[in-house]
Amino acid sequence: GGDGEKQVGEGPIHTPTGESLNARDTMIRKSATELAATSELNLKGAWTMTDQETCKKIKAPAKSTKKTR
């Protein structure tokens, strides 16, 4: 997809104590090399951000031209 493309996933999660909570993950493509992701939980009727990340693609290191024996 193109820049600004947004994908949202929402659904229940279950805690170790058996509680069920609604969770939502949102991912937005900022550019061809950057993606922003946000995780939220619905607590007491309001969405609360629990995590926010930005992922960037980096260039691979140049291959060595050194000969090995």
Side-chain angles (χ1 to χ4, degrees):
D3 294 354
E5 180 181 329
K6 181 178 181 178
Q7 293 183 353
V8 180
E10 189 176 322
I13 62 168
H14 306 285
T15 68
T17 61
E19 184 180 9
S20 182
L21 299 170
N22 284 325
R24 176 169 66 191
D25 290 319
T26 303
M27 292 182 230
I28 301 172
R29 180 183 301 277
K30 298 288 190 174
S31 70
T33 59
E34 185 175 354
L35 177 74
T38 303
S39 296
E40 302 168 280
L41 290 176
N42 193 319
L43 303 172
K44 299 180 183 176
W47 288 106
T48 303
M49 183 177 25
T50 58
D51 188 47
Q52 189 171 35
E53 301 173 358
T54 300
C55 302
K56 294 182 180 182
K57 183 177 181 179
I58 60 171
K59 291 182 179 180
K63 288 187 177 182
S64 175
T65 57
K66 217 181 213 185
K67 291 185 179 182
T68 59
R69 293 184 185 170

